[in-house]
Amino acid sequence: MLGAPSWRPGQPLTAITLKALAVDQFDLLTHAQCLAGGLSWKVIDHRVRSGHWVRVHPGVYLTAPGRDDPLTQLTAALLAVGEPAALSHVSAAYLHGLRRMPPTPHLLVPASRTPAPPGLEVTRTRHFDARVDEMAWPWRTTVEHTVLDCADLPGLGLDDVVDLAARACAQRLTTPRSLRLALERRSRHRRRTELRDILADVNGGAESVLEVRFVRGVLRPHGLPEGVGQHGSSAGCHDRFFPEQRLVVELDGRLGHAGWVGQQRDSRRDRRAGAEGLFTTRGYWTDVVGTPCRFAAELAALLGSRGWLGRPLNCPRPDCRVAGSVRR
């Protein structure tokens, strides 16, 4: 990959190529690379003692003291573990643009590797080669296996898993089909059944936690039609579209719709949809998560007023009264 280091253990380096290698590695060099570039132990030790370099891990030096960005931190961890290794789990998710920077780097290594330096989380696998993206530097797991690795973490809630899978697909980094194929190769994944269901909903057009919750908590358990997710029209892309009823449901989460500017943008889109004969209604997090049965009853009445002939159902919640909400 463009920008990845071209050096391999045992390959000699000149002063110029050693400097270029440090640039490729975000101002980092390993002890072995320094020796290959003709620097003696004494010279390396002097640069560290004088403050020109900083030892960030055993055998890994930062040649530009003061640099503390995420790419440098993660690459330092990668160099400290040595080849073969790749950033994985939340560390890889950060590099793919799916999660925030984790406090502790997490890496994947082959099952045969020896223990890693302290302060790093390392997972061993017999499937290392199949899970690593060989075209991405710093080396990391593929998007598909990154999502599955994160979903397997005990501290990650189901909403976080939905968000991760939906975000990866919405950003066109992968597809539900690719995620399912990767999942089929991991028979021991602890969330295998849940992920299959989630990916089916993401494949149906859901692009956020709120959209998946809308399908799984409002429409499906109450026997309402599921419509079409992420339907495009000249007015824009709609979260959920019911073609027979010419009804659009926009789901406004806490991001993307806040503030006066967001409200104006949404209003303009609703007017454009109205000009096409579409009726737009909006649901919020409090509707979908807080009062899903009431939201379902309101949607059932709205769908019924626009020609839906079905009957809503009561969901398993003991206080659900959606059935009979459509009057004919």
Side-chain angles (χ1 to χ4, degrees):
M1 174 188 174
L2 184 64
S6 58
W7 182 82
R8 290 294 175 263
Q11 177 184 345
L13 294 166
T14 66
I16 294 176
T17 54
L18 184 65
K19 185 176 181 179
L21 181 60
V23 172
D24 290 342
Q25 297 179 163
F26 309 104
D27 294 323
L28 295 162
L29 289 172
T30 68
H31 195 82
Q33 291 166 350
C34 292
L35 295 178
L39 302 183
S40 66
W41 285 74
K42 186 176 180 179
V43 170
I44 297 170
D45 184 62
H46 172 72
R47 293 187 180 184
V48 173
R49 288 179 179 272
S50 64
H52 288 88
W53 288 5
V54 175
R55 184 182 288 108
V56 290
H57 289 290
V60 179
Y61 309 102
L62 178 63
T63 64
R67 179 167 183 170
D68 192 32
D69 58 276
L71 277 176
T72 301
Q73 296 172 27
L74 293 174
T75 305
L78 191 63
L79 295 175
V81 172
E83 295 186 1
L87 291 155
S88 65
H89 296 76
V90 184
S91 294
Y94 169 79
L95 292 174
H96 287 302
L98 299 173
R99 298 282 291 181
R100 293 180 179 179
M101 174 69 176
T104 303
H106 200 142
L107 298 103
L108 191 74
V109 299
S112 59
R113 285 294 306 272
T114 56
L120 303 175
E121 293 187 51
V122 175
T123 297
R124 291 171 174 78
T125 178
R126 293 174 297 172
H127 309 286
F128 177 82
D129 291 337
R131 297 183 183 179
V132 174
D133 186 344
E134 297 180 348
M135 298 299 293
W137 170 256
W139 310 128
R140 69 201 72 167
T141 49
T142 65
V143 173
E144 294 78 19
H145 286 291
T146 296
V147 170
L148 296 180
D149 284 338
C150 290
D152 212 18
L153 292 173
L156 211 66
L158 188 58
D159 276 358
D160 294 319
V161 174
V162 173
D163 179 66
L164 199 62
R167 190 187 298 268
C169 293
Q171 294 181 11
R172 306 295 187 263
L173 300 176
T174 186
T175 64
R177 182 178 182 275
S178 296
L179 285 168
R180 285 198 307 272
L181 290 174
L183 181 62
E184 291 305 315
R185 303 188 190 103
R186 300 175 69 152
S187 59
R188 296 184 180 181
H189 198 288
R190 71 185 186 93
R191 278 186 161 143
R192 184 181 175 88
T193 301
E194 291 173 312
L195 278 169
R196 279 177 170 171
D197 292 341
I198 289 169
L199 291 174
D201 291 332
V202 172
N203 193 49
E207 289 196 347
S208 69
V209 173
L210 190 60
E211 291 175 48
V212 172
R213 276 182 171 257
F214 177 63
V215 174
R216 294 164 66 90
V218 177
L219 299 180
R220 194 171 293 162
H222 296 103
L224 301 180
E226 295 188 13
V228 180
Q230 297 303 310
H231 173 77
S233 73
S234 61
C237 188
H238 307 297
D239 292 335
R240 190 64 43 172
F241 176 56
F242 300 85
E244 294 183 5
Q245 292 75 39
R246 306 291 289 169
L247 174 66
V248 171
V249 177
E250 300 290 3
L251 299 167
D252 299 349
R254 287 164 285 187
L255 297 176
H257 301 272
W260 178 245
V261 174
Q263 292 175 16
Q264 287 182 312
R265 182 182 62 246
D266 291 342
S267 181
R268 287 194 295 270
R269 185 168 66 169
D270 293 348
R271 291 195 294 272
R272 290 197 301 270
E276 295 184 12
L278 306 179
F279 181 85
T280 301
T281 188
R282 294 185 173 272
Y284 299 88
W285 187 268
T286 51
D287 297 313
V288 175
V289 179
T291 56
C293 297
R294 185 174 69 186
F295 191 25
E298 293 167 352
L299 287 176
L302 187 55
L303 286 164
S305 71
R306 300 182 68 82
W308 181 53
L309 300 178
R311 296 283 182 179
L313 306 173
N314 288 334
C315 74
R317 295 181 181 87
D319 57 345
C320 183
R321 301 289 184 272
V322 175
S325 62
V326 177
R327 305 296 179 185
R328 305 204 188 280

